[in-house]
Amino acid sequence: MKITKISISLLILISLAVNGFAQKMVKLDQPVNDGSGNFAKKVLNLFDAAPGNAARQKAMEPFVIGFYGWKALAITRLNVGKIEAAHLSFSRIALSFYDDELGPTLKAIEARPTSPTDWRDVPVEEKNAIQKYVVQKYGGKYSGLADLFSDKLDVKIDRVAEWKYDLGAGLGELAGNVTIWYQFPNYPKFDQNIAEGLGRLDKTVADAPAGTSAVLLANIKKLSAFSAKTKFTAAEKTQVGELIRETLFSTLSFADAAVSANTTPPPPRAQPAPAPLPQAPARSAATIFESGKSLAEKGDDRRAISEFTEALRLDPQNGLIYFYRALSYTRIGETDKAIGDYDTAIMLKTSLSQAYYNRGTLYLNKKIYMSASADFDRSIALDKTSYKTFYNRGLAQYNLFNYDRAAADFTEAIRLNSNHTNSFIMRSRIFCKQGLIISAIRDQEQAIKLGATLTKGCE
């Protein structure tokens, strides 16, 4: 792709626009600067015709696509105003260096808002286009799933590229949430969401490949140190933005390492071949899968995961194995890996209603409420008999402040299970917010009859 100086000018104009919007804001918090605009300029420099730049471009691709793709995905989960649109412009231009497939979609989203507080809905089809690009196309590319689904027999995964993409995805989702942080100055749950995103970076450090820049790892650790927070001051928010900027710029070490790696090391001295060991009888994927299920039933989920992984090596398109491995990952607290396995199980059309429900529950626990609600929508479309699905969708809608929709879901959960105490309690809370005191007390009395301990009335 030919990159022109027009791209640089666009980035500068967007940066000025964001600053101008921020100065005009009165009631909202000051937006946090994550440095993604200036970082995009640094990436653009790699497309000059300088020696070694081809290797630098390739080395940075997984991280750049992971970061800007997941940032766009996180921003478009909620409504988009002019500030969010400016950040989507950063993502659009940076992604276009490698693949401009999302260009028209992001440009359409950017064009709608007319002011910082003119927040516009993002249509489902546009969200799906971003999801497909980020998760399926490039997540699949770097995890090897794309090759598996194209029936390639010899799938070789570049673990370093996969790690760079995962780092970019984690940092990008965090940066997307930081971008919209100014909208939630007094909402502790959003601070908790940021803290959880910071905490997930710890796993990235633990999985870092050999030779990763010590400065980069140190910056990631500085960021993850904030994960213990439950409430951030304005100064701490600014500091998080500064640390994201430092971490972003330290990923340019990938480009430097790519050029250094061109020096060919001397071949290793030949060693005598070891004597062959006796081979155990080969096990089939089905046998290993059953062994994994048996281990999981006994509560030994870590060994079960090892068996499921081996079964998938032999039968990589078996969605049921992904589904069961997701269950085990969930039980040991590996939520993101469980979500990844449910993604694949759903792509393979396996146990769809339950897979959507399970993934939605994980998103709900992670406080990613729009994704949770969307998964419960899909589960309900396939099975309208589960009161738990309606109740959980109600919780997601409640946390999105869609109280009428939440009340309707709690009502349906009660219709399906008239003894579900929590549905009465949650519906009573909505009635209180709506000023329907008598209805709220009636639900509270029913919850008390079912064994709940609570005080009647609305505060």
Side-chain angles (χ1 to χ4, degrees):
M1 172 182 294
K2 183 179 180 182
I3 305 297
T4 69
K5 298 209 180 263
I6 294 174
S7 299
I8 301 175
S9 301
L10 282 171
L11 284 167
I12 294 171
L13 288 172
I14 293 165
S15 297
L16 292 172
V18 172
N19 291 333
F21 298 150
Q23 291 169 1
K24 294 176 184 177
M25 301 185 68
V26 178
K27 296 182 179 179
L28 298 173
D29 269 10
Q30 182 77 5
V32 177
N33 179 13
D34 64 7
S36 58
N38 286 327
F39 180 68
K41 296 179 191 177
K42 289 290 186 181
V43 176
L44 177 60
N45 291 338
L46 303 181
F47 287 80
D48 291 340
N53 264 2
R56 293 186 179 98
Q57 294 165 21
K58 184 177 179 181
M60 290 298 296
E61 177 188 316
F63 177 80
V64 171
I65 289 180
F67 176 77
Y68 286 103
W70 276 89
K71 181 172 180 178
L73 192 62
I75 289 174
T76 53
R77 284 179 182 140
L78 297 180
N79 297 343
V80 171
K82 205 68 176 173
I83 290 174
E84 292 78 14
H87 282 269
L88 290 177
S89 296
F90 294 146
S91 290
R92 172 172 56 83
I93 293 172
L95 291 171
S96 72
F97 301 160
Y98 291 101
D99 181 348
D100 197 29
E101 180 182 316
L102 277 187
T105 299
L106 293 178
K107 202 166 188 176
I109 298 170
E110 295 163 32
R112 295 188 188 110
T114 58
S115 73
T117 55
D118 178 27
W119 289 297
R120 300 296 186 93
D121 287 330
V122 179
V124 172
E125 59 272 16
E126 291 176 347
K127 290 181 181 178
N128 289 343
I130 298 170
Q131 175 88 9
K132 183 177 179 182
Y133 176 97
V134 175
V135 178
Q136 296 179 24
K137 183 174 182 178
Y138 281 98
K141 173 181 178 179
Y142 293 116
S143 67
L145 289 175
D147 286 344
L148 288 174
F149 296 141
S150 64
D151 294 327
K152 284 190 177 180
L153 298 178
D154 184 19
V155 177
K156 294 181 179 178
I157 300 174
D158 183 340
R159 294 298 181 189
V160 174
E162 182 184 30
W163 181 82
K164 290 177 185 177
Y165 174 84
D166 289 343
L167 171 61
L171 200 60
E173 184 171 30
L174 174 64
N177 284 326
V178 165
T179 296
I180 60 177
W181 210 348
Y182 74 96
Q183 298 183 36
F184 305 97
N186 299 306
Y187 188 42
K189 287 190 176 180
F190 200 80
D191 280 22
Q192 291 169 19
N193 192 31
I194 298 287
E196 288 174 6
L198 292 165
R200 286 193 289 273
L201 294 173
D202 263 339
K203 184 69 166 58
T204 305
V205 174
D207 292 342
T212 302
S213 161
V215 174
L216 171 59
L217 294 179
N219 285 332
I220 296 172
K221 287 179 181 178
K222 289 177 188 175
L223 267 174
S224 65
F226 276 90
S227 63
K229 300 290 297 182
T230 56
K231 181 68 178 173
F232 292 79
T233 65
E236 287 168 339
K237 290 179 180 180
T238 300
Q239 192 173 359
V240 168
E242 290 171 352
L243 286 172
I244 292 176
R245 290 201 298 277
E246 290 178 15
T247 306
L248 268 179
F249 279 89
S250 56
T251 63
L252 292 168
S253 58
F254 299 148
D256 298 332
V259 176
S260 301
N262 285 338
T263 304
T264 306
R269 181 180 296 179
Q271 299 292 328
L277 297 173
Q279 297 295 314
R283 296 189 297 163
S284 68
T287 301
I288 300 170
F289 178 38
E290 290 301 321
S291 169
K293 287 168 63 178
S294 176
L295 288 166
E297 288 171 3
K298 296 173 183 176
D300 193 350
D301 284 294
R302 294 190 183 278
R303 287 180 61 199
I305 289 167
S306 179
E307 290 287 76
F308 294 143
T309 302
E310 177 61 17
L312 286 170
R313 187 183 67 81
L314 299 172
D315 189 3
Q317 298 196 54
N318 189 325
L320 200 57
I321 305 176
Y322 284 104
F323 182 90
Y324 273 85
R325 190 172 69 172
L327 293 174
S328 287
Y329 274 137
T330 300
R331 284 191 288 267
I332 67 170
E334 293 279 6
T335 301
D336 291 337
K337 289 182 178 179
I339 289 173
D341 274 357
Y342 283 129
D343 290 345
T344 308
I346 288 166
M347 289 171 64
L348 294 171
K349 302 188 184 306
T350 304
S351 303
L352 281 176
S353 178
Q354 191 64 42
Y356 279 126
Y357 172 80
N358 291 357
R359 189 176 69 177
T361 302
L362 294 176
Y363 280 134
L364 186 63
N365 291 337
K366 285 165 65 70
K367 299 180 177 60
I368 306 174
Y369 298 117
M370 291 187 70
S371 295
S373 184
D375 271 356
F376 295 136
D377 287 345
R378 298 182 184 104
S379 182
I380 288 169
L382 296 166
D383 177 11
K384 295 179 173 62
T385 65
S386 171
Y387 75 90
K388 292 181 180 179
T389 313
F390 282 100
Y391 173 73
N392 280 350
R393 188 173 69 176
L395 290 178
Q397 290 298 324
Y398 180 86
N399 282 284
L400 290 168
F401 309 106
N402 297 327
Y403 296 130
D404 288 339
R405 291 184 63 185
D409 278 341
F410 295 137
T411 298
E412 182 62 14
I414 290 168
R415 188 188 71 80
L416 293 167
N417 181 359
S418 58
N419 294 321
H420 192 235
T421 308
N422 285 345
S423 289
F424 285 106
I425 293 173
M426 290 304 302
R427 192 171 66 175
S428 77
R429 291 182 182 177
I430 294 173
F431 286 150
C432 283
K433 290 179 181 294
Q434 295 172 333
L436 303 173
I437 311 302
I438 294 175
S439 296
I441 292 174
R442 188 181 299 123
D443 272 1
Q444 291 163 3
E445 289 174 342
Q446 185 60 35
I448 291 169
K449 287 181 183 178
L450 291 170
T453 301
L454 50 87
T455 303
K456 290 193 294 183
C458 299
E459 296 181 358

